Amino acid sequence: MKKIIIASCISLLMFSCGTSKKTVTKRNKRVVVVKSSEKEPEQENVTTPEIAPNTPEVYANSTEEYVAIYSDIAQDEMRKYGIPASITLAQGILESASGKGRLSVEANNHFGIKCHDWTGAKIYHDDDASQECFRKYNNSKYSFRDHSLFLTGRSRYSKLFDFEKDDYESWAKGLRAAGYATDRKYPVKLISLIERYQLHRFDAEVLGKQADNNDKHTVAKGDTMYSVSKKYKITVKELQELNGLEDTSLFVGQVLFVKPMPKDY
């Protein structure tokens, strides 16, 4: 009887051990499953697209870039002081070499205004005489404001303000007559710049008028550079220069400036 009881106990004990072993095995399997998940990030091959930097504006030349940068300031000055934006821009282009001249680069002086009774910062530069004194500004916008104050604050320029605000030709000639510049071709140069770069459109915007489109041509089907040049009595080369074009390719809908520059520019 004792032998039967002992055999039963041994069998029960072995059964218990087998059950425990199976449980451990199951737990080991669960551990293996957890570990396998650690490999998932390695399997993700996500590529982040590169964000292209802002593409800078491309201009045909430095004068077009100058107009793009300072046209808003010139229009603001026109609203406040009544000086045509076209005149202000043309003078700035001419006096500062489209913003590339020494006075504009080192002194933010876009109009070649000399010191006179100026008490601010100064710069010395060869002009009519050696090492003349010119005004120096912290920012270009102050140069535009000083230009407006210069014209409105001196009696010799008072007659300019009798002209219509969009009569840029009279303003250009009036500046020369009032002694702003000694160059006899100064008016012609201003007018040429205004017409070549369509600066009068900024006057029209301020005055709420539509700019004259007689000096523009919209390319239609069948147009060529040669046919357009013949229509407006301008050479192909001049047409290319007016529009900053390097070749004779055209596309339908393209707008071309077609008014030729004065011959004595």
Side-chain angles (χ1 to χ4, degrees), residues 181-249:
T182 56
D183 183 359
R184 65 182 182 83
K185 289 189 176 182
Y186 192 74
V188 174
K189 292 178 180 179
L190 293 182
I191 293 169
S192 298
L193 287 168
I194 291 170
E195 295 182 346
R196 177 174 183 176
Y197 293 99
Q198 311 299 306
L199 303 182
H200 48 72
R201 70 185 187 271
F202 300 112
D203 301 337
E205 287 179 8
V206 173
L207 297 173
K209 298 180 179 181
Q210 284 189 338
D212 183 10
N213 289 323
N214 293 331
D215 49 10
K216 294 181 182 179
H217 174 83
T218 302
V219 177
K221 185 177 180 180
D223 280 346
T224 64
M225 188 72 77
Y226 178 74
S227 66
V228 174
S229 68
K230 295 297 288 183
K231 180 177 180 178
Y232 295 97
K233 299 179 181 179
I234 185 173
T235 67
V236 170
K237 183 179 180 181
E238 287 175 320
L239 192 57
Q240 286 178 289
E241 290 177 349
L242 279 174
N243 294 278
L245 301 175
E246 296 182 354
D247 56 39
T248 58
S249 301

Side-chain angles (χ1 to χ4, degrees), residues 92-107:
I93 291 167
L94 189 60
E95 301 287 349
S96 74
S98 298
K100 305 299 182 183
R102 178 173 178 258
L103 289 178
S104 58
V105 172
E106 297 183 20

